Amino acid sequence: PATKRAIEVDGPSHYLRDATSGEHVANGSTRFKARLLRGFGWQLATVSFFEWDQRKTEAERRQLLRGKLAEIDVRVVEPELREGGAS
């Protein structure tokens, strides 16, 4: 493709827990894959399961995705709702 952009959704198997801080840290294979993609010129945004789970409402999750897409220069245009709520 002319523009190389990707968004990856990473579940729990992509992370380890740091023994000291307790924070989630991407495991070796996940970090390696990201490094390879970036090395081949891809822009990569990652949505982790714990970021997703922290957002409880649809609006919060949409905002998270908008922010992740903005990291790779993708602008999201929300459709205007027609009268009566149908798009």
Side-chain angles (χ1 to χ4, degrees):
T3 303
K4 298 178 179 180
R5 295 181 182 137
I7 187 161
E8 181 175 20
V9 179
D10 288 341
S13 65
H14 290 263
Y15 296 92
L16 305 170
R17 283 275 193 170
D18 182 279
T20 305
S21 69
E23 292 182 23
H24 292 95
V25 179
N27 65 26
S29 60
T30 298
R31 291 186 358 234
F32 180 63
K33 178 177 49 179
R35 190 168 57 244
L36 279 176
L37 286 169
R38 288 184 175 113
F40 283 113
W42 285 81
Q43 292 178 285
L44 179 65
T46 302
V47 178
S48 66
F49 76 97
F50 51 89
E51 289 176 301
W52 186 259
D53 287 349
Q54 289 173 351
R55 275 71 176 183
K56 300 301 181 193
T57 67
E58 181 179 341
E60 291 173 325
R61 288 177 171 176
R62 283 179 181 262
Q63 184 62 36
L64 172 66
L65 293 177
R66 276 198 250 9
K68 295 292 181 173
L69 290 168
E71 290 175 11
I72 57 173
D73 301 320
V74 174
R75 194 176 124 241
V76 177
V77 178
E78 294 284 337
E80 290 186 34
L81 294 179
R82 295 184 188 154
E83 195 170 321
S87 57

